[in-house]
Amino acid sequence: MRTPARFILNLLVVATLLLSAGHVAPARAQGDPDQFIARLISQMTPEAKVGQLFVITFPGTEIGSNSDIAELVSTFRVGGVILSTANGNITSTTNAPTQVAGLTSSLQNLARSAANVPGPGGRQTPFIPLFVAVEQSGNG
């Protein structure tokens, strides 16, 4: 990978982590991280706990409310997604960082909108940011 492209990709990953962590950091600052995690897990439905174990791929860039990825994030609370050019998630060769940032932001908003919505048994699962991975191959 060329040095400028690697720098941009690293910058994008760091920015995504910082933006995602900003929504969880206030609760973590209130006490012991182990207690925070235990409290978070205790609030999750069994379905959400299982969903967090999955990091999935999906085709294209469509993430509207009727898309398969929207259902997987909103209903099944998957833990993360893998973005790749092979699946058509990244289509722009000149503006890829902006496209990945926009897609990542939209996916995180899907996860955020699914948070605190009553699931089975009326239990609400708190917002947990998606783990987002990018598969890059080649020189573009």
Side-chain angles (χ1 to χ4, degrees):
M1 187 188 295
R2 297 180 308 216
T3 303
R6 179 172 290 182
F7 174 75
I8 291 172
L9 184 59
N10 288 338
L11 185 63
L12 180 65
V13 169
V14 169
T16 302
L17 290 173
L18 289 175
L19 290 173
S20 296
H23 297 286
V24 179
R28 193 178 323 130
Q30 295 174 359
D32 180 32
D34 292 334
Q35 290 176 353
F36 169 73
I37 292 169
R39 190 171 55 252
L40 188 66
I41 291 173
S42 71
Q43 295 172 9
M44 296 171 67
T45 64
E47 294 83 2
K49 290 175 187 176
V50 171
Q52 286 296 302
L53 299 174
F54 291 88
V55 177
I56 59 164
T57 62
F58 64 98
T61 59
E62 175 59 38
I63 59 166
S65 59
N66 293 331
S67 67
D68 290 339
I69 187 64
E71 181 181 8
L72 290 169
V73 170
S74 300
T75 305
F76 297 103
R77 313 285 169 85
V78 295
V81 296
I82 300 171
L83 306 178
S84 72
T85 55
N87 287 333
N89 306 125
I90 306 165
T91 57
S92 174
T93 56
T94 58
N95 205 14
T98 302
Q99 184 183 12
V100 170
L103 186 58
T104 300
S105 177
S106 296
L107 288 165
Q108 295 293 8
N109 286 335
L110 274 174
R112 191 173 291 108
S113 67
N116 299 317
V117 174
R123 212 162 166 197
Q124 298 179 350
T125 296
F127 169 63
I128 300 172
L130 290 170
F131 179 81
V132 179
V134 178
E135 179 184 19
Q136 195 282 334
S137 58
N139 207 14

